[in-house]
Amino acid sequence: MLHLFKKRTFSEYIGDTFAFFKENGKHFFKHYFIINGGLLLLLLVLSYFIFKVYFEVLFSSIGTNAPNFLEDYFNNNIALIIGVFLFFLIVILFVSLVNYAFPIIYLQLYEKHKGCNFETLDLIKAMKAKIGKIILFFLALVGLSLTAGLLLMAIVFALFFVIIGIPIAIIGIPALMAWVQLSFYEYLNEDMGILEAYGRGFDKLKQQFWPIVGSTIIMYIIIQTIATVFIAIPYIIGVIDMVTNIENQQTDADALSFFSIMMVVVVCISILVSYILNNIMIINGGIIYYSLRDQNENITTLSDIDQIGTPSE
């Protein structure tokens, strides 16, 4: 069993993340898809039909004599478009909420049961017990994103016009991601308010800033590389088919029709892969969180002391 409470270095943050999935990946993703599979399927179905209509309208405007074809289409269907968009946004937020909380709850039970000796019902009960805190954290996160987050983005964007802006973005964005993850772990694992959780998360980030940021950057690069491979395949197929149809003097409509389908497939695969692979990033955050807790609270040492004199089996 991989122990969560353990003092780690930079390389161990990455290595133990993959060791966790190697040891418990089958159990983790089994229950992940049992709980989240239906939600992901709903999101993919909605995404398919929404983007299918979008690309059909987009490509159908090519070659038309109407200069404001897209504008006219949206103006004539404004109520339907707004209604579908709001419903789609609500589904995305709910799916994101459940998906983001699942790995944190999973690690809680993993530590509590000293391994993956728990079932789907245990996960559902634990998530229901924390649902209020999960929603509050996301509301606070949205509020911070719309205030301080936008201000920071504006500053970073302005700094992009000078050389110093690029390294600040490369370091700052992963640091913000790690801070939010550590704060969410604090909030769901301890009895505290949101502001206190963010404060403790920030303290933990400062404690090992460069190893944490470096680990987050490496994990992000790995995830994006894997996602790009999955996304590139249908995109390349669509481009090759469109070029082939044009060379064979087939109608532009046929070529664009298949290409639009491939673009929809690309979007759906992108959404699915991003949600699934995001588990790796959050588990990595958990490995960091439990390591820092052990470093601060000496949990492993105290546990070893408590076991002194206990008869071995």
Side-chain angles (χ1 to χ4, degrees):
M1 170 190 167
L2 187 145
H3 295 281
L4 296 179
F5 287 109
K6 169 188 170 183
K7 296 178 179 66
R8 294 178 173 89
T9 60
F10 164 72
S11 60
E12 289 175 310
Y13 286 150
I14 300 171
D16 281 0
T17 298
F18 289 105
F20 173 85
F21 283 106
K22 182 179 180 180
E23 182 179 312
N24 308 290
K26 183 177 180 180
H27 184 268
F28 179 92
F29 283 108
K30 170 189 172 183
H31 296 290
Y32 172 81
F33 284 112
I34 289 175
I35 293 175
N36 300 305
L39 294 172
L40 287 173
L41 182 60
L42 173 61
L43 180 59
L44 290 178
V45 170
L46 284 172
S47 300
Y48 176 82
F49 286 107
I50 288 173
F51 286 99
K52 185 173 184 294
V53 172
Y54 171 76
F55 285 117
E56 285 179 351
V57 173
L58 180 64
F59 289 132
S60 64
S61 65
I62 298 176
T64 181
N65 293 324
N68 299 319
F69 182 85
L70 285 176
E71 183 179 346
D72 292 340
Y73 178 86
F74 285 111
N75 288 336
N76 294 333
N77 299 275
I78 187 66
L80 177 62
I81 292 172
I82 292 176
V84 172
F85 175 78
L86 289 176
F87 180 68
F88 185 60
L89 181 61
I90 292 172
V91 171
I92 287 179
L93 290 175
F94 185 73
V95 173
S96 300
L97 185 148
V98 174
N99 274 260
Y100 202 89
F102 176 86
I104 299 177
I105 300 299
Y106 185 95
L107 288 186
Q108 281 185 353
L109 294 180
Y110 179 87
E111 176 58 31
K112 177 181 178 181
H113 294 275
K114 305 304 176 185
C116 51
N117 304 311
F118 52 91
E119 298 300 328
T120 305
L121 186 60
D122 299 313
L123 285 160
I124 293 174
K125 286 182 179 178
M127 292 187 75
K128 283 184 176 179
K130 301 282 188 179
I131 190 63
K133 298 190 72 173
I134 294 170
I135 293 174
L136 284 175
F137 187 88
F138 268 77
L139 290 175
L141 181 60
V142 171
L144 287 172
S145 300
L146 294 176
T147 53
L150 289 177
L151 178 60
L152 288 173
M153 287 180 61
I155 294 173
V156 170
F157 180 77
L159 290 174
F160 257 95
F161 292 99
V162 294
I163 298 177
I164 195 174
I166 297 175
I168 288 177
I170 293 174
I171 297 171
I173 294 174
L176 285 173
M177 293 169 60
W179 179 26
V180 171
Q181 287 184 4
L182 291 171
S183 300
F184 200 20
Y185 271 99
E186 285 283 359
Y187 188 57
L188 291 187
N189 280 278
E190 303 292 337
D191 184 16
M192 64 177 66
I194 294 176
L195 293 179
E196 184 180 357
Y198 272 105
R200 288 199 184 184
F202 188 70
D203 289 339
K204 281 183 168 59
L205 176 63
K206 293 190 300 180
Q207 189 174 334
Q208 287 193 354
F209 182 83
W210 291 113
I212 292 173
V213 171
S215 172
T216 304
I217 292 173
I218 295 298
M219 298 307 299
Y220 182 78
I221 292 173
I222 293 172
I223 290 172
Q224 289 304 310
T225 302
I226 297 173
T228 300
V229 172
F230 281 97
I231 295 169
I233 295 174
Y235 180 79
I236 292 173
I237 293 174
V239 172
I240 292 174
D241 182 81
M242 184 173 67
V243 172
T244 303
N245 285 336
I246 293 174
E247 289 179 349
N248 293 334
Q249 296 182 344
Q250 294 189 15
T251 62
D252 292 342
D254 292 336
L256 290 175
S257 176
F258 184 78
F259 184 70
S260 67
I261 293 175
M262 286 296 99
M263 291 301 296
V264 173
V265 172
V266 167
V267 172
C268 291
I269 291 177
S270 176
I271 292 172
L272 179 63
V273 171
S274 65
Y275 274 111
I276 294 174
L277 294 181
N278 193 52
N279 287 290
I280 300 176
M281 184 70 77
I282 302 174
I283 290 295
N284 178 250
I287 295 293
I288 294 171
Y289 166 77
Y290 284 100
S291 176
L292 293 176
R293 276 194 59 188
D294 186 61
Q295 184 174 327
N296 296 333
E297 303 172 27
N298 292 316
I299 295 174
T300 302
T301 303
L302 293 175
S303 177
D304 292 340
I305 293 174
D306 289 339
Q307 292 178 10
I308 295 176
T310 303
S312 58
E313 295 181 1

